[in-house]
Amino acid sequence: MKKIIFGVVLIGLLLFAKEANIAAAANLQYVLEEISKEFLLTHKQDKLNISYSSSGKAYAQISQSAPIDLFISADEEFPQKLYMEKKTPQKPQVYARGVLVLWSHNPKIKINSLENLTQKDIIHIAIPNPTLAPYGRAAKEALHKSKLYDFIKSKLINASSISQAHQFVSSGNAEAGFGALSLIDKKDKDVSYVVIDKTLYNPINQALVLTNYGKNNQLAKDFKDFLLSSKAKKIFQKYGYIINE
């Protein structure tokens, strides 16, 4: 009898369990891991399917009606384009501001300014594709405003996303690269980095939006609201994001 009751309860839990498909910008990989764990403490039977890529790639997938409930972008532009294209039921909302860094994983190279990029021992510089990745766009702006772009453009290696740019640097395929403060391992003694002057690029205001596909998905709605909550904002700040500035 107990086995029957347990089976009925288990089936009931499975029937009421919810899932949400989420497309997230690659710079969010570490912070969303912690935020989603915190969220699922009160949604233990539910599941968040989070995929990471460049915001431009996620935008293209949603434009083509991919089964994505929630889009957590690295900028406002791509979510706003979806809204203008009537692919979302509401306007995007900013949840955090990203911080651009230049960094190296080579112990022989110490990064403390953008001018380091002109050094002869820096041959390859990883940069997220400016067309697809907002942090790459910001990096290109910073190079132009600092009047360094023409001097180092031959060294630039385009990465498909910010995570790939970080991989290029971590693996040694690039001596230095542009990335997100949220992805920097500050405990790694081989890492050196500098936060890029925020006056050199437009603010990386990161926005999220429910898609038409997910407008009736209660789990996606709940997670969206949690991302905008004070509890989530504290976690974003912990990973270097700027909140309410």
Side-chain angles (χ1 to χ4, degrees):
M1 187 66 179
K2 288 182 179 179
K3 288 184 178 179
I4 294 173
I5 293 172
F6 176 77
V8 171
V9 171
L10 183 60
I11 291 170
L13 288 173
L14 290 173
L15 287 173
F16 286 103
K18 298 183 287 289
E19 286 194 30
N21 297 326
I22 299 161
N27 70 88
L28 297 166
Q29 187 168 353
Y30 298 151
V31 68
L32 278 192
E33 182 177 339
E34 184 168 339
I35 289 175
S36 62
K37 282 182 181 178
E38 185 70 26
F39 173 77
L40 289 172
L41 290 176
T42 55
H43 295 74
K44 292 183 179 180
Q45 76 277 22
D46 299 326
K47 185 178 181 182
L48 299 175
N49 303 313
I50 305 176
S51 60
Y52 298 95
S53 67
S54 67
S55 296
K57 183 177 179 180
Y59 157 77
Q61 291 172 336
I62 296 168
S63 290
Q64 295 165 13
S65 302
I68 294 169
D69 298 297
L70 177 64
F71 178 30
I72 313 174
S73 182
D75 71 352
E76 291 180 281
E77 182 178 320
F78 287 120
Q80 185 63 28
K81 285 175 73 174
L82 289 172
Y83 176 70
M84 296 301 290
E85 294 168 6
K86 302 187 186 304
K87 298 287 185 179
T88 72
Q90 55 194 204
K91 292 181 178 180
Q93 294 172 276
V94 173
Y95 60 89
R97 180 179 296 176
V99 176
L100 179 69
V101 298
L102 174 68
W103 73 293
S104 176
H105 193 251
N106 188 323
K108 296 179 181 179
I109 295 173
K110 297 302 175 184
I111 298 294
N112 51 43
S113 75
L114 274 175
E115 283 70 25
N116 292 141
L117 295 178
T118 62
Q119 296 174 190
K120 291 182 179 180
D121 52 351
I122 295 181
I123 303 169
H124 305 100
I125 304 165
I127 182 172
N129 187 329
T131 303
L132 300 174
Y135 281 78
R137 190 188 313 147
K140 192 173 180 180
E141 289 173 7
L143 288 172
H144 278 293
K145 283 193 177 180
S146 59
K147 302 187 186 305
L148 289 170
Y149 184 79
D150 289 338
F151 292 98
I152 57 89
K153 62 182 179 181
S154 62
K155 299 182 179 184
L156 294 175
I157 304 173
N158 267 352
S160 61
S161 66
I162 196 167
S163 59
Q164 188 179 60
H166 274 257
Q167 287 169 9
F168 286 165
V169 179
S170 294
S171 64
N173 288 319
E175 290 78 24
F178 289 96
L181 181 59
S182 59
L183 295 176
I184 296 294
D185 183 357
K186 297 173 185 176
K187 296 178 182 178
D188 190 331
K189 294 180 180 179
D190 289 335
V191 168
S192 63
Y193 72 95
V194 63
V195 173
I196 304 302
D197 185 344
K198 296 177 183 65
T199 64
L200 293 177
Y201 61 93
N202 290 318
I204 308 174
N205 291 324
Q206 304 196 188
L208 54 75
V209 69
L210 284 170
T211 68
N212 287 342
Y213 180 85
K215 64 183 178 182
N216 296 318
N217 186 320
Q218 190 58 50
L219 182 63
K221 290 180 182 179
D222 290 345
F223 189 54
K224 183 206 75 164
D225 292 340
F226 187 76
L227 288 166
L228 298 169
S229 71
S230 58
K231 184 174 286 189
K233 286 179 179 178
K234 288 179 182 178
I235 300 174
F236 277 118
Q237 286 179 313
K238 174 182 171 182
Y239 283 81
Y241 291 91
I242 298 170
I243 304 294
N244 294 334
E245 183 178 289

